[in-house]
Amino acid sequence: MLSPAASRDVVSHAARFWRDHAAVIALGAIAVSVLGCLTYGFALGAEIRYADERDYLALTHAVLSGDGYASDGEPTAYRPPGIVFLLVPLAAVFGDGLPIARLVGIAALAVSAWLMFLLGRRLRSPSCGALAAVAVASYPPFVYTATTIYPQLPAMALLLGFLAAAFRAAERRGVPAAVVAGMCGGMLALTVPTLAVSVPIVAGWFARRHRPPRAVLAAMLVLAVLIPGAWTVRNAVVLDAFVPVSTNSGVNLLLGNSEHVTPEAGSAADITHYYEQADRLELSEVEANRFYRDQALDWISEHPAEAALLYVRKVAHTFALHNDLFTDDATSLLHDVVAAVTFSLLFALVVLRLALTRWHPLDPREKLQITLVVVNVLVIAVFFTRIRLRLPVDGLLILLAASALARVVSLPREQGHHRISSP
């Protein structure tokens, strides 16, 4: 058994190693993660595990074949187009098979891990950044989702890219970083629309704390609005209706707010009779979206107390350790146990970071991250909750957890490292 002095020496040596080799550690973790994801992804071959994957692949094929963003030959806006915009150029070069399509999620995981390193380094130190990057690269839900055609990991990469670029613009007060932030923010709205709430929050924080030149703030906001705005114009032209991003907001609202909904049901909630009504009425895609939305709002207005309690329960269930899935073949006891243990550890470290505020007050950017977590959870719960919908929020939690761990084990701050408090 090591003596206290020897234990301190071991910790000090480890701390110096992480400090001196932070970037190498981060890149090494990313390389191992990518290799593992590639191996698993190509082992899956052409196996499609979820209906969403089939839809995104079909839309990609339609775009490449010249039919445009269409389903069964008809223009559509049912699925947010962000991930398809990422799939199309990849498929155009390498083919639109499923194994190639998985590269989008794998690349998003790698980019997210590196952005986490940059954010952690800016937040506290390179050591903190390395911890955050390793956590992202090895976080089981991220690794699993990277091999699916889901928009959550690309959305997380865009959210982290938006934050990193906004922080850089705050420090350098430059237009180029603001342009990157605006592009990431705009694409974020087209990839996972609910996450778009992060854009005005960060922009407001940026404007209030740093008072940037008008050109810098304008570059960020104009692009963040222009990109989804262009898609809205497309929808108005081809669908003859005002559709900001997609036509699935109505059904998603109904899945989270109707008589047979429970916090645990998620997208498996029984709304069959609403589907049947829409079919009988022969509603168009846009009309069906309005119908589902109106039905959900009617139920909320008629059952305010029940709807309020359901909402509170959905907020709590956002942090669930397990989801029941439509497809039994997609469930795995080992996967569930590993995901539950890792998220429990992550959540405990975030709580620890909050507990440490007495001795280590929250940095303004940590406060911003907490605000983003809280607001995004509240927005998710308006609709329905699933673990995968929470994944971009987990990225923000990992950054806070890395900060807590870095402080607890006293990983040293590099001499001369720029602290990120506002000027």
Side-chain angles (χ1 to χ4, degrees), residues 48-383:
I48 297 179
R49 292 170 288 179
Y50 304 102
D52 298 42
E53 294 181 296
R54 185 177 292 105
D55 289 349
Y56 288 123
L57 287 171
L59 288 167
T60 302
H61 180 74
V63 172
L64 289 173
S65 63
D67 293 335
Y69 201 81
S71 177
D72 296 327
E74 295 295 326
T76 183
Y78 185 75
R79 296 288 185 184
I83 190 170
V84 176
F85 290 165
L86 298 174
L87 285 168
V88 165
L90 182 69
V93 176
F94 299 104
D96 59 357
L98 184 55
I100 294 298
R102 298 189 204 278
L103 294 177
V104 168
I106 296 171
L109 178 59
V111 170
S112 295
W114 182 249
L115 287 170
M116 194 65 77
F117 169 71
L118 298 179
L119 286 166
R121 184 175 63 180
R122 180 172 279 112
L123 180 66
R124 177 170 170 78
S125 69
S127 302
C128 178
L131 285 169
V134 170
V136 168
S138 60
Y139 190 55
F142 291 167
V143 173
Y144 178 81
T145 307
T147 61
T148 65
I149 315 303
Y150 271 145
Q152 275 68 40
L153 285 193
M156 182 173 70
L158 290 166
L159 177 59
L160 295 176
F162 175 63
L163 275 176
F167 289 169
R168 186 173 181 82
E171 293 171 359
R172 302 294 180 87
R173 302 172 71 84
V175 171
V179 168
V180 173
M183 293 176 64
C184 288
M187 279 298 297
L188 180 64
L190 292 184
T191 306
V192 175
T194 56
L195 289 173
V197 69
S198 305
V199 174
I201 293 173
V202 175
W205 174 89
F206 181 38
R208 181 174 60 85
R209 293 200 62 87
H210 296 276
R211 301 186 183 280
R214 290 182 180 179
V216 174
L217 189 60
M220 180 186 298
L221 291 176
V222 168
L223 280 171
V225 172
L226 185 61
I227 292 173
W231 182 250
T232 302
V233 171
R234 174 266 179 191
N235 291 339
V237 171
V238 302
L239 300 177
D240 193 27
F242 176 72
V243 179
V245 177
S246 68
T247 55
N248 68 5
S249 57
V251 70
N252 288 339
L253 187 64
L254 188 60
L255 284 167
N257 301 275
S258 53
E259 59 271 27
H260 299 303
V261 166
T262 65
E264 299 78 19
S267 55
D270 183 9
I271 59 171
T272 305
H273 68 287
Y274 293 106
Y275 290 138
E276 292 172 347
Q277 288 182 57
D279 287 341
R280 284 197 301 270
L281 294 170
E282 298 183 348
L283 301 178
S284 68
E285 181 179 303
V286 173
E287 292 169 340
N289 184 52
R290 292 171 181 161
F291 171 75
Y292 295 137
R293 180 199 62 200
D294 291 343
Q295 293 297 313
L297 294 176
D298 287 346
W299 182 84
I300 293 171
S301 64
E302 293 169 5
H303 306 84
E306 187 178 346
L309 178 60
L310 176 62
Y311 177 73
V312 172
R313 293 174 62 199
K314 285 190 293 182
V315 169
H317 191 262
T318 304
F319 299 102
L321 302 179
H322 167 73
N323 283 156
D324 293 328
L325 300 177
F326 264 133
T327 309
D328 291 336
D329 293 340
T331 63
S332 164
L333 177 60
L334 178 60
H335 175 270
D336 289 343
V337 170
V338 172
V341 170
T342 51
F343 181 73
S344 297
L345 178 60
L346 168 61
F347 198 80
L349 285 171
V350 173
V351 172
L352 176 62
R353 176 66 192 99
L354 297 177
L356 290 172
T357 54
R358 178 178 176 182
W359 300 276
H360 301 282
L362 290 169
D363 183 276
R365 297 185 187 191
E366 288 181 301
K367 293 179 182 177
L368 174 63
Q369 292 165 45
I370 293 171
T371 301
L372 290 175
V373 169
V374 171
V375 172
N376 276 290
V377 166
L378 294 176
V379 171
I380 290 172
V382 169
F383 301 93

Side-chain angles (χ1 to χ4, degrees), residues 11 124 349 352-353 356 360 402-411:
V11 171
R124 177 170 170 78
L349 285 171
L352 176 62
R353 176 66 192 99
L356 290 172
H360 301 282
S403 177
L405 188 58
R407 294 172 192 276
V408 167
V409 299
S410 300
L411 293 178

